[in-house]
Amino acid sequence: MTSNSDKESFVWIWLPDETQPVVAGRLEADNGNILFNYGRSYLERIGDQNPAIPIYEPELPLRSGVLPLPEGLIMPGSIRDAAPDAWGRRVIINKKLGLKGAGTDTADLDELTYLMESGSDRIGALDFQRSPTNYVPRTANHVSMEELLESAERVEKGVPLTPELDQALFHGSSIGGARPKALIQDQGRKYIAKFSSSTDLYSVVKAEFIAMRLASLVGLNVAAVKLEQVINRDILLIERFDRLPKGNEWARKAMVSALTIFGLNEMMARYASYETLAEIIRHRFTDPRDTLKELFSRLVFNILCGNTDDHARNHAAFWNGRELTLTPAYDICPQGRTGNEASQAMLISGSNNLSQLKTCLEAANNFLLSADDARAIFRHLTETIEQHWDEVCEEAKLSEVDKNLFWGRQFLNPYSTEQ
């Protein structure tokens, strides 16, 4: 494999339990598409002690030659999962073009540029390099939370970053999502740090902290979180579950989003459904029955806490080369709500995505649950939220104004609890 400047990039992968990456193959720009083929050296690892695994199957099976794209996609979904999303793209545009603000057109740069200009400590087990032989991580030196906050504010305002602040925010540019965030390491753990935004109309960061804490208390498998304050700004720290410490190094866990599992892109995301995901879980996931109950409980909890942003990128699975395992839940963030009626980002039962427990009841059989099973989950989640509401709000130091705003609107909205 040889390099051809801006029209190609080499994909490096951390194999299971390994702390150093190996080159897997090459991406090449071709008439608006991004195509992938495995390198011969990677395919020849079949008999090794730690053999090659498909980046994701069935999308990128282990075979030679340029692999065809799934219908409707301009690049493999498993590669797109490792690319920066809205916030990271704004950081990169700020860095590359000196441009600016929420109105910036992220189409100003191509997909390979976004892959190559984002930080190397990205979600999952992939990274992208100019070279097929020398791996050089794109990382930033340790920076303070104050510097990260200042950087985020400048990007939001469309102010070009100074070289120092550019580096401060750079290593978070590979993360998905639209809100200001960065990657940090503290006391031997890795976190995603989410910042409050200057455009927030209420305490979005605290709302997510409360939802994640309550999700843990009701018994869901969720990422660990903690809340900090720096220069009077709230910061949510979410512990990363795609990293495993090994001495002074880190192994990486491969992941794919539900959008990739569905074989859809962002334009087709409206067709994503819990029913389809449940069907895939029954056939391709580890512990399918327990996984189905967990996913159903997450759906119910999303409805009870007002998280209508449960789109297919906010569900993911670990990939070990053979099978899928549901990751801990993340991005459970109650959304702003003016009235009662609401709908989820993914379809629940047929074409119905209304944010109501009775919609979940219609879909229960798809999760191998009876109506009685579903109602027992409704009761448990509702009662646990009511029981722990005050203590979690106190833990978050939530103001009485926001507490009154959230309760009955985002959390346990009467419309949502209709059965």
Side-chain angles (χ1 to χ4, degrees):
M1 292 184 288
T2 58
S3 178
N4 184 28
S5 186
D6 294 334
K7 292 192 175 181
E8 70 177 8
S9 170
F10 293 92
V11 180
W12 290 66
I13 186 171
W14 277 254
L15 292 170
D17 298 319
E18 295 292 334
T19 59
Q20 298 299 320
V22 296
V23 66
R26 182 179 63 153
L27 294 171
E28 183 176 7
D30 180 51
N31 294 323
N33 293 327
I34 307 293
L35 304 177
F36 176 79
N37 68 285
Y38 286 106
R40 190 191 326 174
S41 63
Y42 188 71
L43 293 174
E44 289 174 349
R45 295 179 62 93
I46 298 298
D48 287 9
Q49 185 175 0
N50 200 351
I53 65 170
I55 290 176
Y56 175 59
E57 207 164 31
E59 183 182 59
L60 296 177
L62 280 178
R63 64 170 185 251
S64 60
V66 175
L67 298 176
L69 288 169
E71 185 177 356
L73 302 190
I74 64 167
M75 66 189 298
S78 52
I79 300 297
R80 177 62 181 85
D81 283 343
D85 230 332
W87 170 253
R89 291 175 184 233
R90 284 174 61 187
V91 173
I92 292 167
I93 286 173
N94 189 299
K95 176 185 178 183
K96 294 286 287 183
L97 306 179
L99 298 172
K100 340 338 192 227
T104 304
D105 185 359
T106 56
D108 286 342
L109 299 174
D110 60 68
E111 291 296 332
L112 281 182
T113 298
Y114 284 121
L115 291 175
M116 291 302 305
E117 293 295 333
S118 48
S120 290
D121 198 12
R122 65 190 72 243
I123 302 302
L126 301 180
D127 194 24
F128 308 93
Q129 298 278 309
R130 294 287 181 207
S131 169
T133 55
N134 297 312
Y135 180 78
V136 182
R138 297 180 296 280
T139 58
N141 295 325
H142 179 72
V143 293
S144 69
M145 204 72 79
E146 289 85 355
E147 288 176 294
L148 291 171
L149 277 168
E150 184 179 348
S151 301
E153 287 176 353
R154 289 172 72 94
V155 169
E156 278 198 298
K157 293 173 182 176
V159 179
L161 295 174
T162 65
E164 295 78 18
L165 293 178
D166 172 44
Q167 283 302 306
L169 207 59
F170 171 71
H171 62 333
S173 61
S174 56
I175 323 171
R179 291 183 57 79
K181 58 178 69 68
L183 296 173
I184 67 167
Q185 186 169 329
D186 182 48
Q187 297 181 343
R189 297 177 185 272
K190 289 193 176 233
Y191 297 93
I192 295 172
K194 290 189 175 182
F195 310 131
S196 54
S197 169
S198 57
T199 61
D200 289 345
L201 300 178
Y202 60 92
S203 186
V204 175
V205 167
K206 286 186 176 180
E208 184 170 354
F209 171 80
I210 290 167
M212 292 287 284
R213 286 286 295 117
L214 286 170
S216 176
L217 289 166
V218 302
L220 297 181
N221 179 19
V222 299
V225 294
K226 59 182 181 178
L227 196 61
E228 293 191 358
Q229 263 212 345
V230 177
I231 54 176
N232 295 318
R233 294 279 295 275
D234 295 318
I235 300 174
L236 177 66
L237 297 181
I238 305 165
E239 188 169 349
R240 295 183 65 172
F241 47 73
D242 62 335
R243 295 292 183 266
L244 295 173
K246 289 204 159 189
N248 294 324
E249 298 181 303
W250 296 86
R252 303 190 179 195
K253 300 190 72 170
M255 287 172 51
V256 289
S257 70
L259 197 66
T260 292
I261 295 170
F262 290 140
L264 303 175
N265 63 19
E266 283 82 354
M267 298 300 292
M268 300 185 284
R270 64 185 180 277
Y271 300 114
S273 78
Y274 281 96
E275 279 185 297
T276 304
L277 185 53
E279 175 71 18
I280 294 169
I281 286 170
R282 288 198 291 273
H283 293 95
R284 299 193 58 211
F285 276 62
T286 57
D287 303 315
R289 186 172 288 275
D290 288 344
T291 301
L292 287 169
K293 184 177 180 181
E294 170 76 15
L295 181 64
F296 183 81
S297 299
R298 291 183 189 185
L299 165 60
V300 172
F301 185 83
N302 281 333
I303 287 174
L304 293 177
C305 79
N307 175 32
T308 55
D309 194 35
D310 57 340
H311 56 78
R313 282 203 181 281
N314 280 344
H315 300 277
F318 296 123
W319 166 251
N320 65 7
R322 302 178 307 278
E323 55 195 357
L324 296 160
T325 301
L326 195 65
T327 71
Y330 56 94
D331 274 358
I332 304 177
C333 187
Q335 303 298 301
R337 196 164 179 161
T338 53
N340 283 330
E341 189 168 323
S343 56
Q344 298 304 117
M346 283 186 15
L347 300 171
I348 301 170
S349 177
S351 60
N352 186 353
N353 67 338
L354 293 179
S355 305
Q356 294 185 296
L357 295 184
K358 62 183 179 183
T359 313
C360 298
L361 199 58
E362 293 174 11
N365 64 302
N366 294 309
F367 297 83
L368 305 183
L369 298 169
S370 67
D372 286 344
D373 294 333
R375 290 191 179 95
I377 290 171
F378 299 163
R379 283 195 302 274
H380 169 66
L381 267 60
T382 302
E383 290 170 1
T384 307
I385 290 170
E386 291 173 337
Q387 178 184 350
H388 293 283
W389 172 251
D390 288 333
E391 68 184 71
V392 173
C393 288
E394 186 175 342
E395 188 180 346
K397 297 182 172 60
L398 190 68
S399 72
E400 202 63 32
V401 171
D402 276 345
K403 188 176 177 182
N404 292 333
L405 175 71
F406 294 157
W407 188 253
R409 185 172 300 184
Q410 278 95 335
F411 292 86
L412 302 190
N413 187 291
Y415 173 82
S416 298
T417 56
E418 286 182 22
Q419 296 184 45

